[in-house]
Amino acid sequence: MIDEPEVSVPQESYARIFLRFLKFGLLAWGGPVAQIAMIRQELVQEERWVTNERFNRVLAVYQVLPGPEAHELCVYFGMRAGGRPGAILAGLGFMLPGFLFMLALSWFYVTYGIASPAFAAIFYGFQASIGALIIRAVHRIGEHALHDRWLWGIAIFSAIAKFLNVNFLIPLLLGGVLYAVVRNRLDPTALHLVLLPIGGISLAVVTPSVLDLFGYGLRTGLLTFGGAYTAIPFLQHDAVTVGAWMTDQQFLDGLALSSILPAPLIIFSTFVGYLGNGFWGAVAITAGVFLPAFAFTLIGHQIFERLMDNMQLHAFLDGVTAGVVGLIAASAVELLIVALPDVPAIVIFLLSWIAVYKWKGKAAVAGIVLAAGLLGLLVKMFM
């Protein structure tokens, strides 16, 4: 593959790199599409750090790899402007505002709770709207990931396995290997080689240590294919199903809080870690989740770019992604049972569901969640 002629990338000071991407982090409303568009507008269209063709190819790599694509793009551009230190500073700058906001909200949530009627009513509406956002995410990811009957079968198998409390790694790995075999991309005898390294991964404990939380975050970061919503079943499994240091209701609250912040949605992992082990738990799980997003570029973006040309790997990842869709769908059902306890909550859910399909603006997600919170407040005032 022959690269197009490169344009000039400015060699910026470390302070300038950090402040530039800190600004991106403060303006990171609207989810990954809006975040990527903001980065493209300034660094590609206005300042011409790379050509459009190169940007599209880089983005394609990060869309295949796990992790939040907008954050990975920031690390990539930081690397181009200031080497590995620049990559680290760019990534930290982009994630820092969301992390600090989420940390503050987590502290407030744990310290003061939502015991007051007003807070309880607002979160009642929040939770219903989050159910709608998750359903929309299942649709959006599934329509791209499930493009044949084998992938649909893997997704259904994965959802059933979750309802049966089978460890989520089993259907994901089986799905990946099965699809690779079906597509004639992988020798079936490789199955045991894929499953063997995973066998020793431990389950969660009731009171997770900081190291436990780092491990759960790292595993989540390595399995987050197709957007931040794909992190939901993994963290729900560790924090709610197995570890039990959170309830489904608290998990929904964390998702709602992250939805109103200028940050990748996956920053809700900070909330999960804080409820698990306070400040250092929040730091540990967040570091684990974002570490792969740093590492892919720091290790060598070009290596992964060549790797993504491997069709055998594509088939395996397609199968894994189909399994993830099934896991999200099953998680959505479990969370909806908690989020929709009565008729008014169902009405807020339906209104939010319509809104997520109709409202395409940059502030759509935050606006829908906040509006649902207001509706929840009104419902509780007049019930």
Side-chain angles (χ1 to χ4, degrees), residues 35 39 76 95 130-131 161 232 300 317 326 328 332 340 371:
Q35 293 159 8
I39 295 167
Y76 170 79
M95 67 176 285
I130 289 301
I232 289 173
L317 294 178
I328 306 173
L340 307 179

Side-chain angles (χ1 to χ4, degrees), residues 72-365:
E72 289 167 330
L73 283 171
C74 290
V75 176
Y76 170 79
F77 280 112
M79 178 80 123
R80 293 188 66 95
R84 285 184 169 82
I88 294 171
L89 289 170
L92 289 175
F94 184 71
M95 67 176 285
L96 189 60
F99 170 72
L100 293 177
F101 288 140
M102 190 77 254
L103 191 63
L105 288 173
S106 300
W107 170 82
F108 183 88
Y109 183 94
V110 170
T111 304
Y112 297 102
I114 55 172
S116 76
F119 275 126
I122 291 169
F123 275 87
Y124 167 85
F126 277 178
Q127 291 174 1
S129 67
I130 289 301
L133 293 173
I134 297 174
I135 294 295
R136 175 67 181 103
V138 173
H139 181 195
R140 180 176 56 82
I141 299 168
E143 67 182 348
H144 297 293
L146 308 181
H147 46 77
D148 64 36
R149 59 189 177 91
W150 286 100
L151 293 171
W152 272 97
I154 291 169
I156 293 170
F157 166 72
S158 184
I160 293 172
K162 178 167 175 57
F163 286 129
L164 296 176
N165 291 322
V166 176
N167 188 294
F168 62 80
L169 289 171
I170 295 174
L172 292 188
L173 292 170
L174 286 177
V177 172
L178 173 64
Y179 196 65
V181 170
V182 168
R183 302 291 295 177
N184 296 317
R185 304 298 187 189
L186 188 67
D187 185 343
T189 60
L191 178 60
H192 71 284
L193 298 176
V194 176
L195 294 178
L196 183 61
I198 307 298
I201 292 181
S202 62
L203 296 178
V205 292
V206 175
T207 53
S209 69
V210 170
L211 186 59
D212 290 329
L213 289 164
F214 176 78
Y216 305 146
L218 181 60
R219 184 175 58 188
T220 298
L222 288 169
L223 292 173
T224 307
F225 296 94
Y229 283 96
T230 60
I232 289 173
F234 310 130
L235 289 177
Q236 184 199 27
H237 172 271
D238 291 328
V240 180
T241 305
V242 178
W245 73 79
M246 295 179 71
T247 65
D248 273 324
Q249 185 168 347
Q250 290 172 323
F251 193 83
L252 282 164
D253 291 343
L255 283 168
L257 291 173
S258 65
S259 298
I260 61 176
L261 296 177
L265 180 75
I266 203 170
I267 206 67
F268 81 88
S269 60
T270 301
F271 180 86
V272 174
Y274 194 93
L275 267 65
N277 204 324
F279 172 81
W280 289 112
V283 172
I285 199 169
T286 307
V289 166
F290 281 90
L291 182 59
F294 282 97
F296 291 135
T297 295
L298 293 173
I299 292 172
H301 172 87
Q302 292 181 344
I303 295 173
F304 289 102
E305 191 169 357
R306 290 193 296 270
L307 191 61
M308 289 306 105
D309 289 332
N310 185 321
M311 290 299 103
Q312 293 182 348
L313 182 61
H314 270 273
F316 176 78
L317 294 178
D318 284 346
V320 171
T321 303
V324 171
V325 173
L327 289 178
I328 306 173
S331 296
V333 172
E334 294 174 349
L335 293 173
L336 282 173
I337 292 172
V338 175
L340 307 179
D342 50 34
V343 173
I346 294 173
V347 172
I348 295 174
F349 163 76
L350 292 174
L351 291 173
S352 300
W353 193 16
I354 293 170
V356 297
Y357 280 91
K358 297 293 186 182
W359 189 0
K360 304 298 183 183
K362 187 175 181 180
V365 172

Side-chain angles (χ1 to χ4, degrees), residues 8-12 17 20 47-49 80-82:
S8 175
V9 178
Q11 296 301 302
E12 300 195 329
I17 291 172
R20 179 192 289 272
E47 299 191 19
R48 301 290 295 169
W49 283 29
R80 293 188 66 95

